[in-house]
Amino acid sequence: DQSAGLAYVMTNIENDLIRVNLADGTSTLLIDNVFNKTNSAKDMVYSEETGIIYVVGGQKFRQQLIAIDAKSGDKVVISSSSF
């Protein structure tokens, strides 16, 4: 988020979403374990226009698309597929 001087980072193993203040380097845990421990995040995109972070992840046969409010950390599953 360039206008707010923030970056959002997803940790590899724990799937935690972290907010980093680019001015001073402080970090804040936004969400602990976005996906359960058996799934992993594959990619994320931040919409500065809406303040929503979209995260996609899962396993080979089960995928989810999750929307996360960057301010509150509230999340909702937008799509889930199994095949």
Side-chain angles (χ1 to χ4, degrees):
D1 184 346
Q2 288 183 331
S3 63
L6 300 171
Y8 299 95
V9 179
M10 182 74 66
T11 63
N12 189 26
I13 306 271
E14 298 296 322
N15 287 308
D16 296 338
L17 183 59
I18 311 251
R19 179 175 38 228
V20 179
N21 182 316
L22 297 175
D24 62 14
T26 58
S27 62
T28 305
L29 179 65
L30 189 59
I31 296 182
D32 179 32
N33 194 21
V34 173
F35 296 97
N36 64 37
K37 298 290 183 199
T38 60
N39 292 329
S40 62
K42 304 296 184 201
D43 202 0
M44 69 179 197
V45 175
Y46 173 70
S47 170
E48 194 167 352
E49 201 172 278
T50 62
I52 302 293
I53 302 166
Y54 297 93
V55 182
V56 65
Q59 299 174 358
K60 289 182 181 179
F61 302 108
R62 186 165 192 268
Q63 300 287 314
Q64 287 185 325
L65 173 61
I66 295 177
I68 301 166
D69 183 293
K71 288 186 181 179
S72 69
D74 291 339
K75 69 178 184 176
V76 64
V77 175
I78 294 179
S79 177
S80 184
S81 65
S82 296
F83 54 92

